Amino acid sequence: MLVVTDHTDELHPEAVYQALLEQGIFALPQCEACGRLHYSPRVLCPFCGSDSLGWSELSGDGTVYSTSTITPRGGTAYAVVLVDLAEGPRLMSNVVGLPADDVRIGTRVRARIDARPDGAVPVFEVPDTEATPS
């Protein structure tokens, strides 16, 4: 489990999650009672109700569970995806570096953290060694 020493118990888990992303660390809360990871960060484990939570750094590996293409008026289409992380939780994000119409269910992806003006966010890209399923 990741030891988060720069943050106190007074910070909401969402603030800790964001602070870790800003440091380039992709981590999620892990319940110390039942051992399960969960997203989104919250003060109680959604599985067993325990308030004994730690943080676990993630591999960033995942698989696209669902995908939708968004085409803003006058803009470039992008893929909004649900990704099943290798460690179990599912989260919503974007796939970057691949045309939106090429993102398929079952595509293996890897997280990277993008710095944006409103805060760092995890996005996913297809590793060079992977091909998208047909």
Side-chain angles (χ1 to χ4, degrees):
M1 215 173 273
L2 182 66
V3 177
V4 180
T5 57
D6 294 342
H7 308 287
T8 66
D9 290 334
E10 290 94 38
L11 286 180
H12 187 278
E14 187 66 38
V16 175
Y17 172 72
Q18 190 61 47
L20 290 169
L21 287 174
E22 297 292 337
Q23 295 172 42
I25 300 169
F26 186 34
L28 289 179
Q30 183 171 18
C31 180
E32 293 175 355
C34 72
R36 294 179 72 179
L37 291 159
H38 62 269
Y39 182 82
S40 69
R42 56 194 87 181
V43 297
L44 298 175
C45 174
F47 303 106
C48 74
S50 173
D51 65 355
S52 183
L53 302 173
W55 289 85
S56 184
E57 191 165 4
L58 305 172
S59 67
D61 293 333
T63 304
V64 174
Y65 173 81
S66 177
T67 183
S68 183
T69 299
I70 307 297
T71 308
R73 185 177 305 185
T76 303
Y78 61 94
V80 174
V81 294
L82 291 176
V83 173
D84 285 337
L85 298 173
E87 293 82 1
R90 178 179 293 157
L91 61 92
M92 183 180 289
S93 186
N94 300 105
V95 171
V96 296
L98 189 67
D101 290 339
D102 290 348
V103 178
R104 303 274 186 259
I105 293 170
T107 300
R108 293 193 183 278
V109 291
R110 182 164 297 129
R112 76 170 197 224
I113 299 171
D114 275 4
R116 296 186 180 172
D118 56 344
V121 295
V123 296
F124 291 86
E125 56 193 357
V126 176
D128 292 335
T129 59
E130 297 291 332
T132 56
S134 303

